[in-house]
Amino acid sequence: MNHTNTQDEAQKKAKPIAPKVKELIANTKSIILATLDAEGNPNSSYAPFVQVENTFYILVSFMARHTKNLAEGRKTSIMFIEDESATKQIYARERLTIEATTSQIERDSETWNTVVTHLKETHGKVVDVIAEMKDFILIALQPTKGSYVNGFGSAYFVDENLEIMEHRNDVNHQSK
C-alpha cells in the first residue's frame, strides 16, 4: 500500500467541522501564554483566566518571567486547547490561538474590582488571597486575530471578536 496515496485520500475525505470557539473557551479554565522578553527570547507559561465581554483577564505575579513581558506590552499569544484525555486524535486536538495586545489594569479601579469578582466566582477563594498580594497584577489580553483548528482539514481564521472569518482551505498538505 502506498503511504502517500493513503494520506492524500484521507485529506480529500477530511471535511471541516463546524467551529465551536465559544464552547472551547467556556470549557477551559486556564490559557497557555507565549511572551517575548526585552531581548526577544520566548517564554511560555499558563494562567487561570476569566473572559469579560471580548477581553481575557489574568491575575499574575511579578515573580513569574511572563508577567514583566505582559506588563511591558510585548507581543503575546494565548492558546486554548482541548484536554489530551478528551481528544480522539492527538494530532488534531481542538485549539484556538490568538494574538493579543496587553494592558495592565490599575489596582482597585472599577475594572479591577469587577474582574477580580469574576475571578473569585470562577476560580474560588484563593483569588481573595492572591488579589491582596502586591506582586500580583491584573492583565487584560485583547484579541487582535487568531486561528481555530478542530480537526484535519478544519482550520479557520478568527477575527478580533473571535468570530470565524474564513476556512483556511487555500493551503494543501504536501507529502514527501
Side-chain angles (χ1 to χ4, degrees):
M1 177 162 85
N2 186 323
H3 183 67
T4 302
N5 287 342
T6 304
Q7 285 179 330
D8 291 342
E9 289 171 12
Q11 184 61 35
K12 287 177 186 173
K13 290 179 183 178
K15 294 189 182 191
I17 302 165
K20 296 179 184 172
V21 174
K22 290 176 179 62
E23 290 89 342
L24 177 62
I25 294 169
N27 292 326
T28 307
K29 290 187 177 188
S30 63
I31 54 176
I32 297 170
L33 299 162
T35 64
L36 296 173
D37 68 16
E39 291 78 39
N41 298 310
N43 179 245
S44 60
S45 191
Y46 85 98
F49 78 97
V50 292
Q51 181 181 12
V52 179
E53 296 179 11
N54 200 40
T55 303
F56 301 99
Y57 295 90
I58 57 176
L59 192 57
V60 289
S61 169
F62 261 106
M63 295 176 76
R65 280 181 50 200
H66 61 264
T67 302
K68 182 176 182 181
N69 303 339
L70 292 163
E72 293 181 357
R74 296 201 184 93
K75 289 184 177 182
T76 301
S77 177
I78 60 177
M79 177 186 251
F80 302 84
I81 189 163
E82 175 184 32
D83 189 301
E84 285 183 8
S85 65
T87 190
K88 294 178 183 174
Q89 174 47 259
I90 196 69
Y91 281 98
R93 285 169 70 187
E94 181 183 12
R95 58 201 175 273
L96 172 65
T97 304
I98 301 168
E99 292 178 29
T101 59
T102 63
S103 58
Q104 185 174 338
I105 304 303
E106 186 177 330
R107 186 176 285 274
D108 296 321
S109 66
E110 183 178 338
T111 301
W112 168 281
N113 293 328
T114 299
V115 171
V116 167
T117 298
H118 284 293
L119 282 163
K120 288 178 197 176
E121 292 168 357
T122 304
H123 300 294
K125 292 183 180 189
V126 69
V127 175
D128 285 325
V129 175
I130 292 170
E132 291 300 318
M133 294 179 177
K134 297 302 178 197
D135 64 304
F136 274 79
I137 62 172
L138 186 62
I139 298 288
L141 300 148
Q142 186 64 50
T144 58
K145 64 180 177 179
S147 66
Y148 172 78
V149 177
N150 65 348
F152 292 116
S154 191
Y156 302 85
F157 292 108
V158 177
D159 68 13
E160 68 277 2
N161 297 312
L162 306 178
E163 298 293 332
I164 298 298
M165 291 172 39
E166 63 182 302
H167 184 251
R168 293 172 54 176
N169 61 357
D170 57 341
V171 179
N172 292 319
H173 293 283
Q174 300 293 321
S175 299
K176 289 185 178 182

